[in-house]
Amino acid sequence: MWKVAIIDDDRQVLKGMKQVIPWEEIGAELVGECLNGERGLELIREKKPDIVITDIYMPVMNGMKMIETLRKESFKGKILIHSGYSDFEVARQALRLQVEDYLSKPVSRNTITEVLQRAIASIENENHSKIEQEKLRDQLDEYEPYVRKEQLKTVVTGTASNWNEMTLFCKKEEDQSHIVLGIEILRTTRMSDVRTPDRLLFRFAIKNIIKEILQAEKRSYDYVELHGYHAALILHFEKNALYSEHIDPIRALARKIIECVQVYLNITIRIGIGRFTENWSNLSDSLEEAFQPLGPDVRVFQSTGVFEYASTECSSSAHMHTAAKPIKFYQQLIEDIKTTQGKNAEKIIEKYMTTLKGSTVPPQFSLLGAQFWAIFSFALVDEDIRLNDIFQDHTIENELSKIYTYDQYEAWLQGIIRQLCANQQCQESFKHKMAIDFIKQYIRDNYANDITIADLADKVFISRNYLSQVFKNATGETINNYIISVKMEEAKRLILERKHKIYEVANKVGYNNIPYFSTTFRKYFGITPAELLT
C-alpha cells in the first residue's frame, strides 16, 4: 500500500479528504494528518510517506517552509499542494521545489483520485527505472569480461569496425610486444563423432589446460576462441622483444600444450606461431601468419605438431595468403551467416577475392577450397548447420579440381553460400514460426504470472534481442505489448462478467498494483475499468 500524509489547518478539509479519497481503489492508506507544517514535518520524518498533500497557509510553519525543509533533507516523496489561493509566487516556488501538482480548493473526488493515481504511477516508474538501472549496472559488471573477449576477437581477427575505440581498449598493452599462436583442433574421429555439447566441453577443457600451463609459467596472455575448432593464443612480452630470443621458449610452451591436451583429453591439436608485433592494429597479421602453416597442404608431424610462419615465409603462396587474410575472411563470413543469414556474404566474398587477385602468383584453388570447406563444416556444426547434409549431391573434390581461375573460384564460393543461406532461411523461418506460436500460446496460458522476455528466450533457446526482433517482424508488435494486450483483453472479459471487483480482476491478470492496472487499462482501451461498467 502507498502511504499518504495530509497536512492542513482546516479540520473540515482533513475530514473531507479522508472521506473522498478512494483509498482501497488506488491501493493507498492514510498514515497521518496534522494541522500545521511543524507537526507535519515531524509526521513525515517518522512515517516516511510516499505522497504528502499539504496546504500552504498554516500556523506555526507554513507549507512552503515545510516543503523547503523536506527537500533540504532529501525527501524523495511526491508532494501535492492543496490550497484555496492562487498565488504566482507560490506556484513559482512550487516548481523550484519539484512539487508534483497544485490543486485548488475545493477539489472533486475524480480530480483528487486522478492526481493521486498519476503520482503513484510516477513513483512506480521511478522505482522501476531504479531497478532497471541497478540490473543494468549488475549486467555490465557481469558481462564486462565477455565484452572484452568479443572486442579482443575483433582486434585479433582484424574485423574491428572502429579503431578509435579499439585504441582505448588496447591502451594498457601499448608498451608491449605480442605474438599470436594459432591453435587448431584436428578433426579426428574422436572430435567428429561427438555431440555439440561435448564439443563445447572439449574446447572448454582445452582452454583450461592452456590457462593452467600459462599461469604456472607466469606468462601474460589472452585466449580467443575463433570459428569452429580454431583459437588464438596471444602472448604478451616486453616492448621490442626479439623473435630470436623468445622463439625457443615459445616452441617449448607450444609442445607442452600439445602434449598435455593429448594426455589428458586424448585430443590432437597443432599450433602455428606467428611473428612479433608491437601494434595491436597489426595483431591480425600475426594471427594470419600463425595459421598459414596450418593450411590443408601442410603435413602434420605428430612428433611436435608445432609450426612456424618463419619457416614458410619464403614461400610465395604464404605471402599471398597472408595478404589476403583468409582467417579474417572466414571469420567475417561465418559471423554474417550466423547473425544475418548471409545478407552481406556476397560483398564479403567480393572484397576477399579482390585482395586475392592482387597476388602475383595464383593460389592452388583446390587446396584453398578444401580449407574453406573444412573450416566452414566445423564452424557451423555448432549451429546445427551441417554442410554434408545440405550438399549431399555435391562432390566437393571433383568440383574443386575443375577450378583454375579466380572467377571460377569466386563463383564456386558464391554458389555454396547462396545454397547454404537459402537452406538456412527455410529452416529459420520454420523454427521462428514454431517459436512464435509457442510463445503466444505460453503467454495466453500464463498471463497471470510475471512473464519476462528473458524467460521466454530461455524456453525457445533464442537470445533475448534476437527473439524480440523475430517476434516484432512476424507479428508487428513487441513481446511486451503482446503480453499487455492479452492481459487487458482478459481483464475486459472478466469485468464485463460483473462477477469480480476491479482489484480482483487486476490480481487475476497479474497486476498487484491497482492504480497501475487502471492506468494501463485506460491507455489500452481509452476508458478506466470503472467506466467500462457504466
Side-chain angles (χ1 to χ4, degrees), residues 51-113:
I51 301 172
V52 174
I53 304 174
T54 181
D55 193 5
I56 293 297
Y57 300 103
M58 298 180 293
V60 185
M61 178 186 287
N62 66 36
M64 293 308 299
K65 181 65 176 176
M66 182 191 73
I67 295 171
E68 190 170 0
T69 303
L70 287 172
R71 291 311 190 204
K72 287 180 179 178
E73 294 177 358
S74 300
F75 175 70
K76 300 299 182 183
K78 301 297 179 182
I79 297 176
L80 307 176
I81 291 178
H82 183 222
S83 176
Y85 299 91
S86 296
D87 189 323
F88 174 78
E89 180 60 27
V90 169
R92 188 180 69 82
Q93 292 182 54
L95 287 173
R96 179 175 60 84
L97 295 171
Q98 298 179 328
V99 170
E100 188 73 10
D101 213 327
Y102 196 113
L103 304 173
S104 297
K105 294 180 180 179
V107 64
S108 68
R109 183 181 191 276
N110 287 341
T111 299
I112 189 65
T113 300

Side-chain angles (χ1 to χ4, degrees), residues 254-309:
R255 286 195 294 269
K256 187 173 183 179
I257 292 172
I258 292 170
E259 291 167 3
C260 288
V261 171
Q262 184 69 56
V263 170
Y264 294 115
L265 301 177
N266 192 25
I267 293 174
T268 303
I269 66 172
R270 56 180 183 169
I271 297 177
I273 303 174
R275 291 181 295 182
F276 275 103
T277 178
E278 295 176 8
N279 191 329
W280 275 72
S281 63
N282 296 331
L283 202 64
S284 60
D285 291 334
S286 185
L287 173 76
E288 297 289 347
E289 293 162 1
F291 278 105
Q292 194 57 53
L294 303 185
D297 54 333
V298 177
R299 188 161 56 93
V300 180
F301 297 96
Q302 297 293 346
S303 58
T304 65
V306 180
F307 304 88
E308 300 168 43
Y309 177 77

